[in-house]
C-alpha cells in the first residue's frame, strides 16, 4: 500500500486549497478512503470519508460545508477540496485507506502534507 499526499502549504484565513492523494499497491476502487488530520500538539482526528464508489460521504462537524472529499477511481486519486479555511484547520493532513464503515487508527495512511492557515 502506498499513499502519497500533496498540495499542502501556507494559506491565509478564508482561502482555499486542494489536497491530492495518489494511491498504488492495492485496488483503489475497491476501498473506501478517508482524510484525517493531526493539529500541532494534538492527536489524529477524522476529517472526511468517502465510500469506494463515491456515493457516500461524511464529514466532521468542524469542516461541514467548507471541505469536500472526492475521488477519481480512473486515476487512483483522492482529493480534499478545502474552502473558507480557518487557523484551526492548521494540521498535517493524511489520506488513509479505510474500512467499509469508516477510518480507524490502524488503517494504512500516507506520510502527510502540512497545511498552515495563517495571516
Amino acid at each position: 500500500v502506498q499513499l502519497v499526499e500533496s498540495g499542502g502549504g501556507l494559506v491565509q484565513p478564508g482561502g482555499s486549497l486542494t489536497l491530492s492523494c495518489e494511491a498504488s499497491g492495492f485496488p483503489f476502487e475497491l476501498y473506501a478512503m478517508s482524510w484525517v488530520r493531526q493539529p500541532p500538539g494534538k492527536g489524529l482526528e477524522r476529517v472526511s470519508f468517502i465510500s469506494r464508489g463515491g456515493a457516500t460521504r461524511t464529514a466532521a462537524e468542524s469542516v461541514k460545508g467548507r471541505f469536500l472529499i472526492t475521488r477519481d477511481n480512473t486515476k487512483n486519486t483522492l482529493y480534499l477540496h478545502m474552502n473558507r479555511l480557518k487557523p484551526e484547520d492548521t494540521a498535517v493532513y493524511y489520506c488513509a485507506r479505510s474500512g467499509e464503515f469508516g477510518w480507524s487508527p490502524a488503517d494504512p495512511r500516507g506520510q502527510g502534507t502540512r497545511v498552515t492557515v495563517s495571516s
Side-chain angles (χ1 to χ4, degrees), residues 37 45-49 58-65:
R37 67 185 181 186
E45 59 186 45
R46 295 177 177 84
V47 176
S48 194
F49 166 91
T58 63
E61 286 298 323
S62 59
V63 306
K64 273 184 180 177

Side-chain angles (χ1 to χ4, degrees), residues 3-83:
L3 300 163
V4 180
E5 302 94 337
S6 62
L10 173 64
V11 62
Q12 292 188 341
S16 299
L17 212 54
T18 294
L19 306 182
S20 300
C21 171
E22 295 186 17
S24 61
F26 67 100
F28 181 72
E29 68 279 7
L30 297 184
Y31 283 86
M33 297 293 295
S34 295
W35 285 98
V36 300
R37 67 185 181 186
Q38 186 166 24
K42 298 184 179 181
L44 287 168
E45 59 186 45
R46 295 177 177 84
V47 176
S48 194
F49 166 91
I50 188 167
S51 60
R52 56 186 182 180
T56 299
R57 302 175 190 172
T58 63
E61 286 298 323
S62 59
V63 306
K64 273 184 180 177
R66 300 189 298 121
F67 291 11
L68 177 66
I69 188 171
T70 63
R71 65 189 296 162
D72 186 339
N73 286 349
T74 67
K75 297 180 179 179
N76 288 358
T77 303
L78 179 74
Y79 303 95
L80 185 67
H81 310 273
M82 305 187 294
N83 298 302

